[in-house]
Amino acid sequence: MAIVGVTARQENIAQKQRKVVKAQLHLNSATASLKKDLQEAATATEVLEAVAHATNGSTAELYKTMKSTYEKTKNIYSLHIAPKGVVTSVYPPVKNKMGKIDFLHDQETKEVSVYSRNKNVTIIRGPFALQEGGQGIAIQNPVFLHNKFWGFTVASIKTNDLFNDSLSSLEDSGYYYNLYKSHVNESSFEKMASSHHKLYHPVVAYFRVGASSWKLEVEKANANVISKEVMLIIILGTLLAIVISVMLYMILSYLKSQKELTRLVNVDYLTNVYNRHGFDSHSSELLKEHPEGVYTGLLIDVDNFKSVNDLYGHAIGDETLKHLAGMLKLYFGHHAIYGRNGGDEFSALIKNMNEEEVTVFLNKFIHRPFSFEYQGKEYKYSISIGYAIYPTQAKDLSELMRKADMALYSVKLRGKHGLSLSYNMFVI
């Protein structure tokens, strides 16, 4: 009977872990979809920013662009331009319910708008009630012309339109979820969407758009309920206990599946390096075991990766990501923990190098040729790196990677293909 109890317990654990693996796959898919939809809306504000730069802030030209951008971009509720922070134009005009709101002085928008202007970062404001019903969020992008603040370009999104596409598939597949967005100071999260069920042991993913962090929790419905299969093991266990050879086979198969499950949870299927979960777990464990060490947190991404996919196809995009993963293995080796966060973004944690040493190390790396052959053709690409040092610039892994993300963002602002230390900039 003791064997029966152990077997039932092990099978229950194995089933839960299989559920975790499946939940992780659904989580990754939903996270990628959400980030893509939010980034598309953010890109719409960047398109308007580019027009402002090209036309020296001509509101007439901006309004023309608003119409075409609105028609091309999924999920956008309305587009706004706000010179000096005051909304002067909205597309479509019928949705201009708020009038000429002054983002920098309105009580509800002042704090986040001043933060966005002063820090020169895109913020996601909301949720807020829409006059025609429902809730919305606004992606607010500060625009600077000739190093002077010009105003904001803003894309409003109806949250139901945005979240339904990405989250309805979770409910259709039998998963509960909670979606949160951080406040500007990132000290707390606010719930944006939910399946309205209690989650006990969800898998969790974090991602960033602009200055906002997002958190998605996912768990299989009724994950804590003992399955019929486990109950059957308990009922028939006494008979099965006499078949020792079968039991040994089950145990060996279980150990093998455990190893494979662990690999699936922690390793990125495309590049065969750690995924976000694997990188975070191993990096957190390293800092916990050796908090006295010096570490460098890196965020690395491929410059103009969307253009690679658009010009050459997703097969070349995948080969680019695999090649970059191979370069990290070759060059970083045992010096670092590294993994793919998703999309074209990779993370790394370099061990035991001071600021001077790691800067030299990374300068050598970023100057290496990044090219590969595929089906007889050579393809070249470049990368950008943002990094920060622990413990001088961050007190934990989360803060370290957030500052590395800010440093990477500064590279992008200055033309990409560069290397940036948090609060210090070296452009290549």
Side-chain angles (χ1 to χ4, degrees):
M1 291 301 294
I3 294 176
V4 174
V6 169
T7 304
R9 182 174 180 275
Q10 289 179 335
E11 178 60 21
N12 191 38
I13 292 172
Q15 287 194 6
K16 286 183 178 180
Q17 290 183 330
R18 285 193 286 271
K19 289 179 181 178
V20 168
V21 171
K22 291 181 180 179
Q24 186 73 48
L25 295 174
H26 283 279
L27 173 72
N28 292 344
S29 177
T31 300
S33 178
L34 280 167
K35 187 174 182 179
K36 176 178 176 291
D37 289 344
L38 285 166
Q39 193 58 57
E40 284 183 355
T43 299
T45 69
E46 293 168 1
V47 169
L48 295 178
E49 178 185 8
V51 173
H53 280 282
T55 64
N56 201 30
S58 168
T59 55
E61 292 300 321
L62 281 166
Y63 191 81
K64 293 178 184 177
T65 306
M66 288 166 70
K67 180 179 179 181
S68 60
T69 303
Y70 175 85
E71 293 170 349
K72 293 177 183 177
T73 308
K74 178 183 177 184
N75 292 327
I76 284 187
Y77 175 75
S78 61
L79 289 171
H80 309 247
I81 55 173
K84 298 181 180 180
V86 179
V87 173
T88 58
S89 298
V90 179
Y91 192 88
V94 71
K95 295 182 178 179
N96 187 14
K97 305 281 187 178
M98 65 179 66
K100 294 187 177 181
I101 185 172
D102 186 341
F103 289 126
L104 296 174
H105 296 90
D106 182 82
Q107 192 66 29
E108 295 183 1
T109 63
K110 177 180 178 180
E111 180 182 357
V112 293
S113 298
V114 169
Y115 178 89
S116 174
R117 180 196 64 188
N118 292 348
K119 299 292 185 179
N120 191 15
V121 293
T122 300
I123 55 97
I124 299 181
R125 180 167 50 79
F128 49 80
L130 297 172
Q131 290 192 13
E132 65 180 42
Q135 289 191 314
I137 59 174
I139 298 178
Q140 193 164 313
N141 178 34
V143 179
F144 288 80
L145 299 183
H146 311 296
N147 295 320
K148 291 184 179 180
F149 175 68
W150 176 84
F152 297 105
T153 54
V154 183
S156 295
I157 307 169
K158 199 169 185 177
T159 54
N160 286 345
D161 295 341
L162 173 67
F163 299 147
N164 281 348
D165 288 348
S166 302
L167 300 179
S168 60
S169 62
L170 289 175
E171 290 193 274
D172 293 342
S173 301
Y175 287 87
Y176 300 151
Y177 63 85
N178 290 318
L179 177 66
Y180 303 88
K181 180 182 75 71
S182 70
H183 295 288
V184 168
N185 59 14
E186 299 196 21
S187 61
S188 61
F189 282 87
E190 180 176 6
K191 186 179 289 187
M192 299 290 294
S194 175
S195 59
H196 306 294
H197 294 88
K198 185 175 181 180
L199 276 60
Y200 295 91
H201 303 289
V203 290
V204 182
Y206 295 86
F207 63 94
R208 293 180 62 82
V209 177
S212 295
S213 293
W214 293 74
K215 178 172 71 171
L216 179 61
E217 301 174 338
V218 172
E219 184 175 56
K220 182 67 176 177
N222 302 317
N224 285 345
V225 177
I226 297 177
S227 67
K228 294 179 181 179
E229 291 82 0
V230 174
M231 292 300 296
L232 186 61
I233 290 175
I234 295 173
I235 295 171
L236 301 178
T238 303
L239 295 175
L240 295 175
I242 64 175
V243 189
I244 298 176
S245 61
V246 176
M247 292 296 297
L248 289 174
Y249 174 78
M250 289 176 63
I251 293 171
L252 291 173
S253 297
Y254 168 74
L255 293 174
K256 183 178 179 180
S257 66
Q258 288 291 97
K259 183 177 180 181
E260 178 62 15
L261 285 170
T262 301
R263 192 189 73 82
L264 287 173
V265 169
N266 289 285
V267 176
D268 178 61
Y269 73 98
L270 177 64
T271 59
N272 206 32
V273 297
Y274 286 132
N275 58 22
R276 179 63 177 267
H277 179 269
F279 173 80
D280 287 347
S281 297
H282 286 78
S283 298
S284 297
E285 184 178 350
L286 177 63
L287 263 69
K288 183 178 180 180
E289 290 179 356
H290 303 286
E292 74 286 354
V294 177
Y295 305 96
T296 303
L298 282 72
L299 278 178
I300 309 163
D301 73 6
V302 178
D303 296 329
N304 304 311
F305 183 69
K306 184 178 183 301
S307 297
V308 174
N309 280 328
D310 291 344
L311 289 173
Y312 305 115
H314 288 279
I316 300 302
D318 288 349
E319 290 300 317
T320 302
L321 298 177
K322 289 191 280 188
H323 182 266
L324 178 53
M327 292 290 284
L328 294 176
K329 289 180 182 178
L330 178 67
Y331 193 75
F332 286 16
H334 65 277
H335 294 295
I337 299 170
Y338 42 84
R340 179 187 173 207
N341 295 341
D344 63 320
E345 185 178 88
F346 290 74
S347 295
L349 186 72
I350 298 177
K351 301 174 281 188
N352 301 323
M353 287 190 190
N354 60 34
E355 180 178 328
E356 181 179 354
E357 291 170 337
V358 80
T359 300
V360 172
F361 180 80
L362 293 177
N363 266 297
K364 289 181 179 179
F365 176 66
I366 205 169
H367 279 96
R368 295 172 68 91
F370 287 85
S371 63
F372 60 93
E373 285 192 4
Y374 182 76
Q375 295 183 348
K377 293 183 179 180
E378 184 181 30
Y379 297 89
K380 297 181 180 181
Y381 64 96
S382 64
I383 62 171
S384 296
I385 300 176
Y387 65 108
I389 311 294
Y390 169 97
T392 57
Q393 295 178 323
K395 62 180 182 300
D396 56 32
L397 180 65
S398 176
E399 184 179 13
L400 183 67
M401 301 313 294
R402 181 172 63 84
K403 290 193 174 179
D405 185 50
M406 293 169 62
L408 177 60
Y409 182 71
S410 72
V411 177
K412 297 299 184 182
L413 288 177
R414 294 166 173 80
K416 306 181 180 180
H417 189 208
L419 173 67
S420 174
L421 174 62
S422 183
Y423 303 119
N424 297 284
M425 183 64 193
F426 305 91
V427 179
I428 295 177

